[in-house]
Amino acid sequence: MNDLRPISLAGVPDSRPLLIAGPCSAETPEQLLATARGLAAHGVRIFRAGLWKPRTKPGGFEGVGAEGLPWMRRVREQTGMYLATEVASREHVAAALGAGVDLLWIGARTSANPFAVQEIADALAGCDVPVLVKNPVSPDLELWIGAIERLYNAGLRRIAAVHRGFTSCDPSIYRNHPHWALPIELRRRLPALQLLCDPSHIGGRSELIAPLSQQAMDLGFDGLIVEAHRTPAEAWSDSRQQITPDELARIVASLVLRDGAGESEDLALFRSRIDRLDGELIGMLARRMEVSRSIARYKRAHNIPVLQSDRYEEMLAVRASEGERLGMHRRFIELVLQAIHEESIRQQFEVLERDGE
Ligand code: PEP
Ligand code: MN
């Protein structure tokens, strides 16, 4: 997919961050227009609003639907902004394109469903409309790439990915855990693909939007899609995470864009240190595996089972505390040790299965 193109829209500067903003949901014509005017006054050129709202549970506000399309058109007439909305079915695509919506996005619940994505891709075949693909709710990179591929195969080239965080059962300050490693890997796999961050849905709280936006810029994201509302406290959906147009302008103005050209010698030095340490880590792991294999031979000779969970639990607790004392997250140490343990068990089984070693 090397010939993917940026979603560039005439008259919208292609400097970072590409900014898309607007309310979670279109609620009333007045709310839409007042919010859009506030954003346009700060130079925002692309306006988002959800018309069809996929809700986790029935009974919540499910959006105004096609009734909001003329309200969106009014926003364009009054402010000159480009319009963006979410589509989840072929009917949504037909209605949005029919009304002249400039940019579509596929939401996280939809991109998790290949049938729905294929239906949307089929409905879009032959169009050159830009489409944003939000990551699926689960941290599944292949599913995310699969959704992008379906659009690509339908002939679309102006595609961008939106990182909006992932459902996680681990407690955290986020509504949806960022798992930054996933969008970073997506960038490595599809370097031509524009990458935007949705700090509103990751954070779930207005005060997290500024730090998350900065992190996204530091990680080289191309743009941001942010939920903004004229009166966030009164929003009919996602009210905790919405900010006013003025707050958004302040956040964007405060972003530090580290676009330093060229690589300094200092940076090259740091990188070579990291490379050396990584090499040492791999060498150390190999030595550790060699000890595991010796243990397996001993266990085989003495008829001891491979897994002794007491010993493992104890080792995990001691190391996690040690790691914490050295400034690392407990959870991080646990994950590393779990991965090492898994490989160690695999190697022990290999020894047991091989007779006469
Ligand atoms: C939204 O953008 O309002 C939305 C529903 O987002 P997501 O699909 O990321 O939950
Ligand atoms: Mn929302």
Side-chain angles (χ1 to χ4, degrees):
M1 292 193 267
N2 285 332
D3 58 341
L4 283 168
R5 285 187 282 123
I7 56 174
S8 60
L9 295 162
V12 180
D14 56 10
S15 53
R16 284 205 310 151
L18 173 72
L19 188 59
I20 303 173
C24 177
S25 308
E27 298 163 4
T28 66
E30 296 72 35
Q31 166 253 4
L32 221 53
L33 196 55
T35 306
R37 284 211 167 106
L39 291 166
H42 288 297
V44 179
R45 299 296 319 279
I46 312 174
F47 183 72
R48 63 147 282 159
L51 298 170
W52 300 279
K53 300 301 299 178
R55 309 308 301 187
T56 300
K57 283 184 174 167
F61 172 56
E62 296 192 326
V64 296
E67 192 191 337
L69 285 166
W71 313 346
M72 294 284 271
R73 290 239 291 265
R74 181 108 200 283
V75 164
R76 180 170 37 216
E77 284 157 22
Q78 299 279 317
T79 66
M81 293 171 99
Y82 287 101
L83 306 175
T85 201
E86 172 170 353
V87 290
S89 69
R90 66 168 77 84
E91 290 79 13
H92 297 165
V93 169
L97 293 185
V101 170
D102 304 285
L103 194 152
L104 307 176
W105 83 80
I106 298 181
R109 291 157 195 78
T110 308
S111 63
N113 176 353
F115 292 124
V117 175
Q118 191 58 51
E119 176 181 315
I120 293 168
D122 292 343
L124 285 170
C127 303
D128 183 34
V129 62
V131 182
L132 311 178
V133 183
K134 289 192 154 198
N135 63 261
V137 283
S138 52
D140 184 341
L141 182 59
E142 298 311 318
L143 195 57
W144 196 1
I145 294 179
I148 293 162
E149 250 172 55
R150 286 177 199 278
L151 296 174
Y152 182 89
N153 291 344
L156 280 86
R157 291 296 176 269
R158 290 197 289 161
I159 307 174
V162 177
H163 172 229
R164 49 77 77 198
F166 303 90
T167 303
S168 166
C169 44
D170 292 332
S172 85
I173 56 168
Y174 305 106
R175 174 178 175 194
N176 291 295
H177 201 286
H179 290 303
W180 293 106
L182 270 100
I184 290 170
E185 176 62 10
L186 178 67
R187 165 131 291 175
R188 194 186 69 77
R189 297 266 296 271
L190 297 177
L193 180 74
Q194 266 187 332
L195 190 54
L196 313 189
C197 176
D198 174 344
S200 311
H201 288 89
I202 296 177
R205 291 190 282 141
S206 54
E207 58 277 24
L208 290 178
I209 292 175
L212 284 164
S213 300
Q214 184 62 54
Q215 281 175 10
M217 290 302 104
D218 290 343
L219 291 169
F221 278 63
D222 301 292
L224 301 168
I225 174 166
V226 184
E227 286 190 342
H229 193 287
R230 64 168 172 184
T231 41
E234 290 165 22
W236 297 0
S237 60
D238 288 353
S239 89
R240 275 295 282 116
Q241 71 195 33
Q242 302 209 54
I243 52 177
T244 64
D246 289 349
E247 284 165 338
L248 175 66
R250 271 197 297 278
I251 290 174
V252 173
S254 73
L255 290 175
V256 182
L257 296 174
R258 298 175 237 266
D259 285 328
E263 291 183 3
S264 69
E265 279 180 27
D266 286 350
L267 188 57
L269 206 68
F270 287 136
R271 287 198 170 134
S272 74
R273 260 155 75 183
I274 290 274
D275 287 346
R276 205 180 54 243
L277 285 167
D278 283 349
E280 282 174 23
L281 271 174
I282 302 289
M284 228 132 79
L285 285 173
R287 274 171 23 225
R288 191 189 186 285
M289 292 306 156
E290 194 35 59
V291 177
S292 296
R293 296 175 81 93
S294 305
I295 290 180
R297 283 179 212 112
Y298 179 89
K299 285 178 177 168
R300 185 182 55 195
H302 296 84
N303 250 343
I304 303 172
V306 165
L307 183 67
Q308 282 149 308
S309 40
D310 299 357
R311 149 107 187 115
Y312 175 57
E313 290 299 328
E314 189 192 304
M315 186 266 283
L316 208 59
V318 173
R319 297 290 171 249
S321 304
E322 253 174 37
E324 219 171 14
R325 267 204 305 284
L326 294 172
M328 287 171 281
H329 262 251
R330 219 186 155 78
R331 182 77 192 124
F332 164 70
I333 301 292
E334 283 168 3
L335 283 172
V336 170
L337 289 175
Q338 269 160 17
I340 293 175
H341 190 238
E342 230 172 88
E343 174 63 9
S344 161
I345 299 258
R346 192 190 66 77
Q347 298 231 2
Q348 294 195 31
F349 276 130
E350 221 173 66
V351 169
L352 291 185
E353 281 158 17
R354 220 177 287 159
D355 279 331
E357 193 176 335

